[in-house]
Amino acid sequence: AAKKESKDCWRFYTEKMQIDAYEKMRLTGSLRHALERNEFSLVYQPQISATDRKLIGFEVLLRWNSPEYGNVPPMQFIPLAEQSGLINSIGMWVLRESCQFARRLSEQGGSDIRVAVNISSKQIAVDDFIVGVCNAVNAAGIDPQQLELEITESVLIQSMEDAIGKLAHLKEFGVKLSLDDFGTGFSSLTYLRQLPVETVKIDKSFIDMITSDVQGAKIIASVINMAHAINMKVVAEGVETEAQLEYLLDKDCDIIQGYIFSCPIVEAAAMKFLADHSEV
Ligand code: C2E
Ligand code: MG
Ligand code: MG
Ligand code: MG
């Protein structure tokens, strides 16, 4: 079942977010055929420049509509895809489709709009990951700079040297890299500086503290300052209210992503968003 949210944003939910081992196994079984059965789709969430309110990019978010289970939230099926190894084929499909989307954006005058794709650490660990990314970019005929890969600090848990080497390779090729879900792990920004990322995304759980937790709000301000000190840009994720937006603008946050501007939208709506937010 899906619950209607404000401004036509749909949120998936199940009565119990915890699923048991048997359900996991059945879901994984369905997931195995989801790609060939065309059950996946992509939605795109605008990222807005804080200073001039211009559209600067879209984050790509995967959706699974299963005939058996309905809309399964990514928080449920992504971990199963990771555990089963299916994330590699699914992730490559997402990458190829995202590059094609970036291509269509340029054709509509959005050649400077970045398309940000979530990448699981499991994908990076695979040998032909870099080749796969380059192929997706080249097949779509886009500038590598149009593609951004969102990684999490869990890449460092795998094999740090391997991950850093591969990410450096990708950066050399020209794709952008950002650090997702910052604040939810245990690493400090100084440690994460070893990763060749140019952007850090502050997790929604921190944004939610802005109006409820004075200390939490101060942490955000200091993360923004630290990021700027090491020449990183900051994206605030899950911004929903004017009060949050005001605070983030005051603290010089660079980019805003959240329901306050738009929830994730289908391609036709994304193209309209681009047209509405282009310079005249
Ligand atoms: P994420 O990468 O941190 O993505 C941001 C999540 O926050 C998305 O949830 C987005 O819909 C949600 N969000 C954005 N703004 C707001 C807001 O203002 N309010 C609220 N309540 N939520 C907001 P979504 O689409 O359910 O995705 C959840 C997670 O699933 C993502 O977190 C990401 O870790 C993972 N994911 C989604 N698509 C992919 C994919 O293609 N590949 C991989 N590996 N992971 C993916
Ligand atoms: Mg993300
Ligand atoms: Mg995030
Ligand atoms: Mg996440």
Side-chain angles (χ1 to χ4, degrees):
K3 176 175 139 228
K4 191 94 154 94
E5 282 183 333
S6 60
K7 288 199 270 172
D8 291 322
C9 292
W10 288 83
R11 191 176 61 186
F12 306 118
Y13 78 97
T14 51
E15 268 70 50
K16 43 181 178 46
M17 285 303 280
Q18 296 296 328
I19 55 176
D20 65 31
Y22 178 69
E23 278 178 282
K24 272 187 190 170
M25 205 183 69
R26 297 218 313 150
L27 268 173
T28 306
S30 276
L31 201 53
R32 227 169 269 289
H33 306 285
L35 207 50
E36 68 202 44
R37 292 176 185 168
N38 290 315
E39 293 167 9
F40 290 120
S41 62
L42 300 177
V43 285
Y44 310 95
Q45 187 176 31
Q47 297 181 331
I48 307 293
S49 160
T51 45
D52 56 15
R53 304 281 170 107
K54 279 191 194 129
L55 174 69
I56 65 133
F58 287 101
E59 178 174 4
V60 180
L61 294 155
L62 182 59
R63 295 293 177 256
W64 179 25
N65 185 249
S66 154
E68 295 108 313
Y69 302 100
N71 290 320
V72 185
M75 296 286 267
Q76 253 176 31
F77 74 80
I78 294 288
L80 298 181
E82 288 175 343
Q83 286 154 29
S84 60
L86 290 167
I87 194 68
N88 293 308
S89 53
I90 296 171
M92 267 307 152
W93 179 84
V94 173
L95 265 168
R96 286 194 302 269
E97 291 292 318
S98 299
C99 290
Q100 296 294 337
F101 171 67
R103 168 86 206 177
R104 291 189 290 274
L105 279 173
S106 351
E107 286 163 3
Q108 300 298 314
S111 57
D112 54 344
I113 305 297
R114 270 211 298 276
V115 174
V117 179
N118 290 288
I119 302 294
S120 157
S121 306
K122 292 266 158 54
Q123 291 175 262
I124 298 175
V126 166
D127 276 338
D128 55 8
F129 176 68
I130 296 175
V131 173
V133 173
C134 298
N135 285 346
V137 166
N138 293 335
I142 58 167
D143 183 332
Q145 297 211 46
Q146 283 178 261
L147 179 66
E148 180 170 296
L149 304 182
E150 294 193 1
I151 57 163
T152 63
E153 61 191 275
S154 63
V155 293
L156 297 176
I157 296 166
Q158 317 269 326
S159 161
M160 178 145 146
E161 250 120 75
D162 179 63
I164 292 176
K166 281 175 173 166
L167 295 174
H169 240 90
L170 287 166
K171 192 178 177 180
E172 211 171 291
F173 177 63
V175 305
K176 300 282 173 192
L177 298 169
S178 64
L179 183 65
D180 203 356
D181 302 340
F182 183 72
T184 58
F186 299 98
S187 319
S188 71
L189 208 47
T190 36
Y191 172 68
L192 293 170
R193 194 156 72 97
Q194 298 176 83
L195 292 170
V197 298
E198 41 258 303
T199 308
V200 49
K201 301 188 76 176
I202 302 180
D203 193 69
K204 182 182 191 316
S205 55
F206 276 83
I207 305 306
D208 288 341
M209 290 194 276
I210 289 175
T211 46
S212 64
D213 177 344
V214 178
Q215 305 298 333
K218 283 183 184 165
I219 293 173
I220 294 172
S222 76
V223 167
I224 295 172
N225 280 335
M226 273 194 293
H228 286 167
I230 54 175
N231 293 315
M232 284 188 185
K233 285 210 186 321
V234 180
V235 179
E237 202 166 40
V239 180
E240 294 181 341
T241 69
E242 284 294 338
Q244 291 169 342
L245 181 61
E246 227 168 86
Y247 183 86
L248 291 162
L249 289 177
D250 184 56
K251 303 302 175 201
D252 293 326
C253 181
D254 304 284
I255 299 159
I256 308 291
Q257 181 182 342
Y259 292 176
I260 190 156
F261 289 124
S262 174
C263 57
I265 48 184
V266 297
E267 176 160 341
M271 291 301 174
K272 186 172 183 303
F273 199 99
L274 170 69
D276 292 346
H277 291 78
S278 294
E279 292 158 276
V280 274

